[in-house]
Structures are given as C-alpha cells and as structure tokens.
Amino acid sequence: MNAVTSQLVLGIIPLVTGIGRVYWISRRKFYRRNAGGAEGFSSFEATEFTRFIERIGKWVAYALIIIGILLIWSYTQKKKDKEK
C-alpha cells in the first residue's frame, strides 16, 4: 500500500469512528428518556458525570470527523497532483 492510499485509509477510520461515536452517544441519550420525555438518572452526581462525559465524547467525535474530512480532502488533492 503506498502513502497516498494509506492516507485515504487514515482519513476513513477517524471519520467512521467519529460518526459512530456521535450516533452511539445520541442513542444512549434517547433510550434514557422515560414516557414523560425526561432523562432518568439515579442521582444528581450520575446526571452531571454522564452529561460531562458525553459532552467530552461528542467533542472528541466532532474532532475525529474534522480530522477524517481533512485527511480525505488531502488525499484527493494529492491524487489530483499525481494525475497532472
């Protein structure tokens, strides 16, 4: 595998991981809701800790998505330069 192709793979992995992480966090949040639409937690501390961790997780996921997009964009630019 040459360097350009490995860059494409290195772009796809964080992109898919980031999208999957956002989906997983949102799904967890959805299934925590009760019939009234409120999230159910056992304590105040559990509420704050879970929301904090999920917020950090979403920021990491967004960063992975941006990194993946930039690597894929860089791959397409290098491929265009190589064709010229």
Side-chain angles (χ1 to χ4, degrees):
M1 196 163 29
N2 61 16
V4 176
T5 306
S6 63
Q7 186 173 9
L8 176 63
V9 172
L10 287 175
I12 291 172
I13 291 172
L15 181 65
V16 171
T17 304
I19 291 170
R21 185 173 290 222
V22 169
Y23 172 77
W24 181 69
I25 291 171
S26 299
R27 190 171 195 268
R28 280 177 45 98
K29 189 174 183 178
F30 174 79
Y31 282 111
R32 264 199 312 266
R33 296 194 183 277
N34 60 18
E39 291 185 50
F41 288 100
S42 59
S43 68
F44 174 76
E45 290 79 14
T47 304
E48 292 301 312
F49 180 74
T50 303
R51 288 184 179 170
F52 175 74
I53 293 299
E54 287 179 348
R55 194 173 305 128
I56 298 296
K58 274 198 171 181
W59 280 105
V60 169
Y62 293 143
L64 285 171
I65 291 169
I66 290 170
I67 289 168
I69 289 171
L70 289 174
L71 286 172
I72 291 171
W73 177 77
S74 174
Y75 163 78
T76 60
Q77 295 301 316
K78 283 186 179 183
K79 190 174 177 184
K80 283 180 187 177
D81 289 344
K82 206 175 202 182
E83 290 174 359
K84 287 182 182 180

